[in-house]
Amino acid sequence: MTWLRHKTHDVPWLPGEKRQVWSVEARVEFEAQGEPVKVSLAVPQTQTRFERLAEYTASPGYGLAFVENGRERRAEWSIRNADGPQTLYYRLDLLVDPSLTVADTAPPLEAPSNLFDDSPHATSALHMLDSAVERSADNFTLARELILEFNLQKQSAGFLEQRQARSRWLKQLLNYAQVPAREVKVLTLEDGRRRQRLQTYLQVFQGERYQLFDPRSGRVGLSPNQVMWEYRSGSVLELIGGSQSDVSFSIINQEIPVSQGLEKEGDHFSLLEFSIHSLPVEEQALFKGILLVPVGVLVVVLMRVLVGLRTSGTFMPVLIALSFIQTSLLTGLAGFLLIVGVGLVIRSYLSHLSLLLVARISAVIISVIAMVAVFTVIAYELGLNEGMKITLFPMIILSWTIERMSILWEEEGPHEVFVQGGGSLLVALIAYLLMTNDIVRHLTFNFIGLQLVFMALVLLLGGYTGYRLLELRRFSVLGKGD
């Protein structure tokens, strides 16, 4: 099966041999009200660094049209009658081309808003604009200094943001100073990310050139994995005939042959039919993580059956490795040791209360949640942003780890706790390194037949009855006798 996918679909054995394609799926949800419905979603065009390769929609019963107005492009769905929860999908494949440059034109200057009257808001905003103008030399430096002014005068900025968003104030102030600017919606591309949201940036023009500014930090430009989704100062989503509308984005990264991708441009892109790639992107992103679990399971079987390492719980190391993937290794390792260490102290106190099992486990779970909250707040106050990732740890797994180690401490003593705890962390570390390896991730996601190979290896190891590697220490006495 794996060989067939490589030969038939030309899926590469190794990552990096082909061109990079980001598949982005927009999921539109709303509540229809039993009347005609019209939905309009802004969709991106080919732009600098990203070429629009293909697009698809999934909207049973709905009419669909793509409407272009100059550089603005929108997908419009319509239906005569709909009632209840509705979900529409729009998927876009973007081919990464670092050499691609697309010119853009400056938007017309917006007429002075009625916000710039004699109100306290106008006075405060124009005062910041005057200060920024004095320190600027051109349009770009004016935008930079204006954002800096908002960050320095936090009290005035907070007062203005009570009326409208900071990016809107920045755009209007720049237009007031005769600088073409507009708000754009930017999507950050992260492999396997689900429910991603758009961020608002500021696009400032000077002649035919433009620069993008983060209205919060003032950072100039986009990172290589950021794409402009809406850049005509329009709305991202418009809905008629419904309520409670929402749009979220799921993203996965793929490698495809350049020639095949270009040939299919404009067609329905069916690169990997009859495979996991035919699923919606959100489900693909979910499977991208799930398909790594057998890799961790195989590591556990190898280390327990052949090496003889003892672990706390049969597959607990796999769950710990999955947690490390979410939190990053160092943060996860420090958080795990900290929470489990404090948790064991609390659990030793609970054992003196002679509680029933369910009540004891419940108390441990509540204690773990409280510890995570406290450590997160401490990390935030100390400015350790990485420490806040500790919230990604699964609470139930931590609680059961504490419970198992506590029971082990009472029955076998602290030495066995350190042996099994250390064994679990070592196996989790090896599993983490394999599960985050680009080649392993590429192979497991693109060649689902490898799951059968993992199954075969596990079955083979299941029949092993010989000595384990660590058991060979028993024979060291024979060597000393010689």
Side-chain angles (χ1 to χ4, degrees), residues 9-22:
H9 298 295
D10 202 17
V11 177
W13 291 118
L14 298 174
E17 293 180 353
K18 310 291 174 150
R19 295 287 292 276
Q20 184 182 21
V21 171
W22 289 99

Side-chain angles (χ1 to χ4, degrees), residues 370-391:
M371 280 189 288
V372 169
V374 169
F375 292 146
T376 304
V377 171
I378 292 174
Y380 175 75
E381 293 296 334
L382 294 177
L384 303 173
N385 294 332
E386 281 291 312
M388 290 190 285
K389 291 182 178 177
I390 201 172
T391 54

Side-chain angles (χ1 to χ4, degrees), residues 301-373:
V301 175
L302 282 169
M303 300 303 286
R304 287 180 67 103
V305 174
L306 294 184
V307 180
L309 272 179
R310 296 199 296 277
T311 60
S312 175
T314 308
F315 295 110
M316 189 69 75
V318 181
L319 300 177
I320 296 173
L322 288 173
S323 303
F324 288 166
I325 292 175
Q326 298 293 322
T327 60
S328 77
L329 181 59
L330 292 179
T331 303
L333 196 58
F336 179 82
L337 293 174
L338 191 61
I339 292 175
V340 171
V342 177
L344 283 174
V345 175
I346 296 174
R347 174 61 177 77
S348 67
Y349 169 74
L350 294 175
S351 63
H352 294 297
L353 301 180
S354 302
L355 300 173
L356 296 175
L357 176 64
V358 175
R360 193 172 65 230
I361 296 293
S362 302
V364 172
I365 293 174
I366 294 170
S367 302
V368 167
I369 293 172
M371 280 189 288
V372 169

Side-chain angles (χ1 to χ4, degrees), residues 112-188:
S113 168
N114 55 8
L115 290 172
F116 298 108
D117 48 21
D118 294 331
S119 67
H121 292 90
T123 304
S124 180
L126 292 175
H127 174 70
M128 286 198 283
L129 177 62
D130 291 339
S131 301
V133 168
E134 291 177 1
R135 301 195 302 271
S136 65
D138 54 21
N139 293 354
F140 297 149
T141 54
L142 175 58
R144 185 192 65 200
E145 292 301 323
L146 191 55
I147 295 171
L148 180 63
E149 198 67 26
F150 267 74
N151 288 334
L152 291 176
Q153 301 188 34
K154 294 184 182 297
Q155 192 170 2
S156 298
F159 175 64
L160 291 176
E161 288 175 53
Q162 291 176 357
R163 190 160 185 175
Q164 62 180 13
R166 173 184 293 199
S167 58
R168 184 66 54 85
W169 274 113
L170 291 170
K171 186 196 77 171
Q172 290 182 340
L173 286 170
L174 288 171
N175 282 183
Y176 188 82
Q178 302 299 306
V179 175
R182 63 186 166 205
E183 294 173 283
V184 297
K185 300 293 183 182
V186 172
L187 181 66
T188 301

Side-chain angles (χ1 to χ4, degrees), residues 276-277 284-296 322 435 440-441 443-451 454:
I276 206 166
H277 296 77
Q284 288 187 47
L286 184 62
F287 269 102
K288 205 161 192 175
I290 292 175
L291 292 174
L292 290 171
V293 173
V295 177
L322 288 173
M435 292 162 75
V440 174
R441 294 173 69 89
L443 292 176
T444 53
F445 182 63
N446 290 289
F447 300 100
I448 196 169
L450 285 178
Q451 304 300 316
F454 296 143

